[in-house]
Amino acid sequence: MTGYIIEVVRKPCIRRGSMLRGLEDAGLLSLSFPHVIKSVFSSVLQVLNNEKKDYEGWQRLIIKFEDLKRNPQKELEKLCEQIGIQWSDTMLETTLHGKRDFCGNVTGFDLTPVYRLYEEYFSPFDIFRISLIAGIKQKQLGYSYNSIFGFSRTQLREMFNKEFLFEDKLKYEDDKDKIKIEMWKRGFISDCLWEVRRQDIMERMRLSANNGGG
């Protein structure tokens, strides 16, 4: 079999803000269970896997969520041309089982999600730090990219020791639980930064090899 894998991608930090909103709407951010709080941190600060599995006979096509929202007809017409199908105006309709579909109160190509920065969860400094964690993935997807190698380990440790804005919404059973989770969080972030460093090195080696070692 042959075919196409159509992957719609979104800026990692915005995806994480959307995830936090979903958790808050479900009442999960206010739970004081340690495993829930750790899960929230893990979801926000996780290092994304930058390796995509190739399938013989299948071609992967990447579409940016923001481009699709801003220029739906242009992006979808380009997709039709790539995969060899005829254009239809029905592609400009967002449906589920034949009925108009909504995400909250958003449907179709409403631009609201494109410009939503989730400022209730992330400060500009938070967004910068998450962009470091998601660095290589953002670079591969064509988003702005900040290399972790622009900072020393001491600078990174100082940056990530500061709390994130979304932490104000978390509830702890008592101070002892908060201290335990803070110790776990520091270890988790340290592991994340090492993984980002590894990915950055591997990406540089890959690019160097592709350029003939130059």
Side-chain angles (χ1 to χ4, degrees):
M1 294 179 62
T2 62
Y4 297 90
I5 299 170
I6 300 173
E7 184 176 356
V8 179
V9 300
R10 194 175 185 184
K11 194 170 185 179
C13 189
I14 303 303
R15 287 188 61 185
R16 295 169 201 221
S18 177
M19 179 272 299
L20 283 175
R21 188 187 64 175
L23 292 176
E24 185 169 31
D25 289 346
L28 295 177
L29 288 189
S30 60
L31 295 179
S32 59
F33 301 121
H35 71 279
V36 173
I37 297 173
K38 289 180 180 180
S39 179
V40 171
F41 277 115
S42 298
S43 297
V44 173
L45 301 176
Q46 66 177 315
V47 180
L48 298 174
N49 182 6
N50 61 7
E51 298 176 359
K52 292 292 185 182
K53 185 174 181 180
D54 292 326
Y55 298 91
E56 186 177 354
W58 290 75
Q59 181 179 349
R60 188 183 299 273
L61 303 176
I62 306 293
I63 301 177
K64 284 186 180 180
F65 173 84
E66 298 85 357
D67 292 343
L68 185 59
K69 283 282 190 177
R70 292 190 184 104
N71 301 293
Q73 185 158 343
K74 175 184 175 182
E75 293 299 317
L76 291 172
E77 284 180 344
K78 182 169 67 176
L79 176 64
C80 288
E81 183 178 347
Q82 287 176 308
I83 65 179
I85 65 173
Q86 188 174 355
W87 167 260
S88 170
D89 289 341
T90 58
M91 292 184 179
L92 297 175
E93 301 173 7
T94 304
T95 61
L96 180 64
H97 302 305
K99 295 182 179 180
R100 193 178 188 189
D101 191 32
F102 289 82
C103 180
N105 60 352
V106 175
T107 188
F109 299 98
D110 185 338
L111 288 175
T112 301
V114 174
Y115 300 105
R116 182 179 289 145
L117 300 178
Y118 297 100
E119 295 171 320
E120 66 271 36
Y121 304 116
F122 301 131
S123 69
F125 183 51
D126 294 342
I127 292 174
F128 171 73
R129 288 186 289 175
I130 291 174
S131 75
L132 287 176
I133 290 285
I136 296 300
K137 188 67 174 181
Q138 289 195 177
K139 180 182 180 182
Q140 290 181 338
L141 297 179
Y143 293 105
S144 59
Y145 160 69
N146 292 295
S147 173
I148 199 172
F149 284 103
F151 305 91
S152 69
R153 291 191 179 110
T154 299
Q155 289 173 321
L156 290 169
R157 184 168 59 251
E158 290 175 352
M159 279 195 291
F160 281 91
N161 277 345
K162 300 181 185 299
E163 288 193 352
F164 287 80
L165 181 60
F166 75 86
E167 294 187 57
D168 290 342
K169 296 180 177 291
L170 302 178
K171 308 295 182 184
Y172 297 89
E173 192 68 34
D174 51 38
D175 288 342
K176 182 185 288 188
D177 265 2
K178 185 172 183 179
I179 291 171
K180 286 182 179 178
I181 290 175
E182 181 64 27
M183 295 298 292
W184 169 85
K185 184 183 74 171
R186 292 190 180 192
F188 177 76
I189 289 175
S190 178
D191 290 342
C192 287
L193 293 175
W194 274 109
E195 175 60 18
V196 173
R197 186 178 294 272
R198 185 194 71 82
Q199 287 189 4
D200 205 324
I201 291 172
M202 295 300 293
E203 180 71 2
R204 289 164 186 249
M205 292 174 61
R206 184 185 68 81
L207 292 175
S208 178
N210 291 342
N211 293 329

